Amino acid sequence: MTMMELHVCNRAGILLRAFALGENKEVIVGRDETCDVRIMAKSVSREHCAIEQDGDDLILRDLGSSGGTYLGQKRVDKVKIQDGMEIGVGPAVLKFFDSGI
């Protein structure tokens, strides 16, 4: 299994927070206080998207968010996470990196 690191950045690319992925079966991203990764913005749904283990892969799945989850300009429902991938969630950019572990 590949260990990935998630960097939550603003649109200017400035790192706000970093998280290690792969230890939990599911990580919820959203603005609700129960979320694992919180993004405090009105354009982010309470439970916006999930990062899930699927065998050796990590999958990002939109949870029916009103604002959408974007890979580039394309709205995505489900996408396999790859090293260097950037996903737009409201005003934030989720950047994924292979941690090399």
Side-chain angles (χ1 to χ4, degrees), residues 4-99:
M4 296 291 277
E5 209 171 276
L6 165 61
H7 291 184
V8 180
C9 303
N10 65 17
R11 292 283 176 181
I14 296 170
L15 176 65
L16 305 174
R17 295 180 71 191
F19 299 88
L21 299 175
E23 296 165 6
N24 299 342
K25 188 125 179 79
E26 181 180 67
V27 173
I28 304 292
V29 179
R31 66 176 156 79
D32 194 82
E33 62 189 33
T34 61
C35 292
D36 304 296
V37 178
R38 287 185 77 192
I39 300 170
M40 300 300 296
K42 284 188 177 8
S43 58
V44 175
S45 293
R46 284 189 298 275
E47 288 192 349
H48 198 97
C49 59
I51 300 163
E52 305 166 332
Q53 287 287 152
D54 184 14
D56 287 341
D57 296 328
L58 280 176
I59 304 293
L60 184 133
R61 186 170 51 87
D62 185 88
L63 297 174
S65 67
S66 53
T69 302
Y70 290 85
L71 176 58
Q73 301 301 313
K74 184 175 185 278
R75 188 170 180 157
V76 293
D77 290 322
K78 186 175 176 182
V79 65
K80 179 181 168 188
I81 295 171
Q82 298 179 15
D83 185 38
M85 183 177 275
E86 296 187 5
I87 301 286
V89 174
V93 178
L94 308 180
K95 296 183 179 184
F96 296 91
F97 299 98
D98 188 331
S99 60

